[in-house]
Amino acid sequence: MVVDTPLRLEVIVASVRPERFAPVVANWFLRMARASIEFDIGVIDLRDTPLPVELTETDAVADYRARLAAADAFVAVTSEYNHGYPASLKTAFDCAKHEWRAKPIGFVSYGGLSGGLRAVEQLRQVVAEIHMVSIRETVSFHQAKRQFDAEGQTQDGAAIDSAERLLRQLAWWATTLRAARSVAPYPG
């Protein structure tokens, strides 16, 4: 799908743990996404994003919300901790409201045996509540540390195929929803 104006895609890196594996997975996905001409890509690394514990408006939160508002689509790169998603990601969703609405989100997950899929299924409920469109195609890395070589590449054909399909579906939804929002604001 070719669009006239590139779609703004924000890739959210959810894990904030000091010795996280997130950069390996996120960088791999970013290389895939940057090969797609439909997207202008930004990265919101939650480790480096000052989000408040309480829902108070600060300059940092205002900047964060403005960045979300300017985005056409999102992808969350998330780990699975104790059968769930990271608290940092829930805080990121809760710090904004209208900025998420009528926008698509895809998921790239990683973890042990489940590959982060339990976290993704829970996140689908969260994003539905804030009126986002969850892309059904998901990229998942089971036993993630075994799936990447020293250069951060993977030979996991299913993941590569899923990432390509996710990006195509994300572009379709982002284009369609951007056009709809330009005609009429999403009813909130």
Side-chain angles (χ1 to χ4, degrees), residues 27-45:
N27 288 335
W28 171 82
F29 179 75
L30 285 164
R31 284 190 298 274
M32 297 280 298
R34 287 181 176 133
S36 184
I37 62 170
E38 291 89 1
F39 296 109
D40 170 34
I41 300 168
V43 178
I44 299 173
D45 190 333

Side-chain angles (χ1 to χ4, degrees), residues 79-179:
S79 53
E80 180 179 308
Y81 298 144
N82 303 315
H83 290 217
Y85 52 84
S88 56
L89 189 52
K90 183 66 163 76
T91 300
F93 285 131
D94 290 347
C95 285
K97 185 175 182 178
H98 300 285
E99 296 84 356
W100 300 113
R101 291 184 174 175
K103 295 181 182 178
I105 184 166
F107 297 101
V108 176
S109 67
Y110 62 96
L113 292 176
S114 79
L117 292 175
R118 293 177 289 221
V120 169
E121 289 309 309
Q122 293 171 21
L123 285 165
R124 290 187 194 287
Q125 295 173 9
V126 173
V127 301
E129 183 62 26
I130 55 178
H131 300 257
M132 296 183 85
V133 175
S134 173
I135 303 300
R136 187 67 203 137
E137 191 64 48
T138 300
V139 181
S140 176
F141 290 100
H142 307 266
Q143 300 292 333
K145 291 182 180 179
R146 296 180 184 173
Q147 301 299 321
F148 292 88
D149 63 21
E151 287 77 41
Q153 298 296 333
T154 185
Q155 297 303 314
D156 185 336
I160 294 166
D161 181 58
S162 292
E164 291 169 349
R165 284 185 282 139
L166 181 145
L167 287 164
R168 285 194 306 269
Q169 292 170 12
L170 193 66
W172 187 90
W173 276 105
T175 301
T176 302
L177 292 172
R178 179 167 70 181

Side-chain angles (χ1 to χ4, degrees), residues 56-75:
T56 56
E57 190 72 23
T58 64
D59 288 344
V61 172
D63 291 345
Y64 169 73
R65 291 177 66 188
R67 193 165 171 183
L68 299 178
D72 295 300
F74 301 91
V75 168

